[in-house]
Amino acid sequence: MNHKLIYILGILLLLQTSCKKKELISDGVSLPEKVPFSWKSATVYFLLTDRFYNADTTNDVHFNRTKPTATLRGFEGGDLKGITQKINEGYFTDLGIDAIWINPVVEQNHGLVDEGTGATYGFHGYWIQDWTAVDPNYGIRADLKEMVAAAHAKGIRVLLDAVINHTGPVTVKDPIWKGWVREDKVCDFKDYAGNTSCDLVKNLPDIITDSNEAVELPKQLVEKWKKEGRYEQEIKELNAFFEATGYPKAPRFYIMKWLADYIEDYGIDGYRCDTVKHTEPEVWGEFKKVCDRAFSNWKSKNPEKVLDDAKFYLVGEVYHYYANNGIAYDYGDKKVDYSKHGFDALINFDLKNQRATSYQETFERYQKLFEEDFKNFGLLNYLSSHDDQQPFDMKREKSFETANKLLLTKGAAQIYYGDEIARPLIIEGTVGDATLRSNMDWSVEGNTDRKALIKHWSALGKFRRNHPAIGRGDHKTITAEPFVFSRTFEESGFSDQVIVGMNLPRGKKEIPVATIFKEGEKVLDTYSGIGVLVKGGKAIFDTPFNMVLLEKK
């Protein structure tokens, strides 16, 4: 009998005996009291709105976006109402999610970009034509407001995606933003200037972010707002913003104002910033100040809705930023420390390359990173994403290992939608990163393998959420074979100690726990739901699993 079948049978056994023992995954598990939230150890679920869940088919087509596209390069129907529905159903809570990060939901290109195998509409959210409007294919502003409120009601934060670097491509329906963008050269990525003062790719117009020269609003935007009956209000708000801040009416500050409105209007908790290394670092420090001001205003106007005293979160995507190379990013001719430019964390491209590295080596490596360069700066680790075509497990052959490595490594963790069900990352007929962006598959019922996998992700996710020691605590190896380690965390009077065992024998197993748990103390393995007393410095379990997640009961 293979290990996979043993694992599945074990899951079924637990479900059948749930009346006698605590379930592996209990739908109603509540967060322990006084567990402090921190972005440094948050579990973030990243999804593409259009590909997640379609709760309203009436908003599937807008702006006559009906031309044929290449495979998975058109709008598929997912919307903000779909995210809200899954929040209310408890899907994210059951996975132990602290925050949901969604792609930009602002109005996208109306026209089709490219032809043939590359024909694409802006379903992904990064081809912006109006920062002040929610794209109707995703829904309306009221839908976004409801989604944020639903998440906050579950104690879940919301991250939106901020694009300041570029507009959408130029098409017949989408004119160039005259006076706002460069029209001269494409980036060669050879040095600092070759990353920042240029178009990222051909026909992705680069916002002139290094100029303080005042510009007028693009003609097409003025006409659009007048047609929609909101021109006077938008101008009034812009004037108030520039008067209050003293910023020049340069392109980047218009965009910052528009992005800050989503904070002040809805209370979003943070921004993931797109294409960070292709924009001058000083821009992000300015953006953080604008965001902090907006978040403070929202909190003062909505004191009853404030979750806690966590500050507004800014995490940057510096493509190919590897934590093992140190805190600064090296352009070749210039190094930039983004921790000094408004960011609380950067997305870490290093962890997904640890394919041949053991759990012990990986965890000890990250303990060292946080002891040295990252004492006061965060990392958002990931193993798969929307635009990295070399993920940790492209063929989805190591989905349990993916969960273990991602959720048990120190730092914040980013789950990409479908990681928890092994959503395929290789889709026949796709070109480029479209293969990473298939529709979420909700058909879990009847799929025993998928049920076992999602329960594994959920068990780890909830343990991580309930124990800050996992993401922020000091890591110490107890035994190398089988691999058993402890994590301990102390901060502001809060104390947390856990032990995790991996690659254990299935059946009876003896876990050395004397360094964390006292003799005679009762410890609970949250993975199996079984509690035992510590005897002779050990906790002895008999379960069909090769993992234990131990906490004091």
Side-chain angles (χ1 to χ4, degrees), residues 170 174 181 185 236 270 347 454 511 516:
V170 178
D174 307 290
V181 299
K185 61 179 181 180
K236 180 181 178 181
I347 294 174
I454 198 170
I511 314 299
I516 299 298

Side-chain angles (χ1 to χ4, degrees), residues 112-185:
L112 187 70
V113 177
D114 298 328
E115 298 292 340
T117 59
T120 307
Y121 283 116
F123 71 90
H124 44 66
Y126 296 94
W127 290 349
I128 297 167
Q129 289 301 322
D130 186 351
W131 274 269
T132 71
V134 172
D135 194 287
N137 272 70
Y138 303 138
I140 60 177
R141 275 184 170 263
D143 297 333
L144 179 59
K145 182 177 181 179
E146 183 182 2
M147 189 272 287
V148 175
H152 285 174
K154 297 279 190 181
I156 298 171
R157 273 80 175 168
V158 175
L159 291 176
L160 294 186
D161 216 313
V163 180
I164 298 178
N165 173 254
H166 56 268
T167 66
V170 178
T171 75
V172 174
K173 293 184 178 182
D174 307 290
I176 194 165
W177 286 49
K178 278 287 184 182
W180 282 60
V181 299
R182 309 175 206 277
E183 300 181 56
D184 47 3
K185 61 179 181 180

Side-chain angles (χ1 to χ4, degrees), residues 346-460:
L346 293 181
I347 294 174
N348 177 30
F349 285 68
D350 172 67
L351 185 63
K352 59 108 178 181
N353 289 331
Q354 307 306 303
R355 296 176 183 85
T357 308
S358 70
Y359 293 127
Q360 182 179 351
E361 291 173 307
T362 298
F363 298 162
E364 290 178 352
R365 175 183 187 175
Y366 275 76
Q367 172 65 25
K368 187 176 181 181
L369 283 175
F370 281 99
E371 286 176 344
E372 298 175 354
D373 289 337
F374 298 93
K375 281 184 179 180
N376 300 307
F377 192 58
L379 292 174
L380 180 55
N381 301 315
Y382 78 95
L383 294 182
S384 61
S385 78
H386 64 313
D387 59 4
D388 187 338
Q389 295 184 61
Q390 295 181 317
F392 177 77
D393 181 25
M394 188 74 176
K395 295 182 180 180
R396 295 297 200 190
E397 296 172 335
K398 301 185 287 186
S399 294
F400 286 93
E401 182 182 344
T402 298
N404 296 343
K405 217 154 220 179
L406 178 63
L407 298 180
L408 295 176
T409 294
K410 286 185 64 172
Q414 174 235 292
I415 299 171
Y416 185 43
Y417 76 102
D419 283 349
E420 72 277 19
I421 59 167
R423 177 179 62 84
L425 298 177
I426 301 176
I427 307 297
E428 186 177 353
T430 56
V431 175
D433 53 20
T435 194
L436 306 170
R437 303 172 178 184
S438 61
N439 291 310
M440 181 68 171
D441 187 349
W442 294 100
S443 58
V444 175
E445 292 302 320
N447 190 324
T448 309
D449 287 357
R450 185 170 289 178
K451 279 188 175 182
L453 180 59
I454 198 170
K455 285 182 179 293
H456 180 72
W457 278 84
S458 184
L460 290 176

